[in-house]
Amino acid sequence: MGELVSLSRARKAKRRAEDAAQAAANRAAHGRTKAEKQAERQERERREAALDGAKREE
């Protein structure tokens, strides 16, 4: 037979893993210097402007 698993412990472990992944994503998004944030914002704006400039008028 299979191994017995406590559902509450499995749920808690799953929740901890999800929380850790969210924390890692937050660290990546918010754990940057002001210069890095500005550079990323400028790059995003440049890409959006290039895309908008390539649109055809309808």
Side-chain angles (χ1 to χ4, degrees):
M1 289 188 28
E3 183 179 338
L4 295 178
V5 177
S6 171
L7 293 179
S8 62
R9 284 187 185 186
R11 270 190 241 110
K12 287 179 183 181
K14 180 181 176 186
R15 178 62 189 253
R16 274 191 223 103
E18 291 171 354
D19 288 346
Q22 182 64 43
N26 286 344
R27 281 192 301 274
H30 301 290
R32 298 176 295 167
T33 65
K34 187 174 183 178
E36 290 172 333
K37 290 176 188 178
Q38 287 176 341
E40 193 233 336
R41 188 182 72 245
Q42 288 175 345
E43 175 64 21
R44 183 176 59 247
E45 289 172 356
R46 185 195 63 78
R47 280 186 273 128
E48 289 174 2
L51 186 62
D52 289 341
K55 286 184 180 178
R56 298 187 340 199
E57 296 295 323
E58 291 185 18

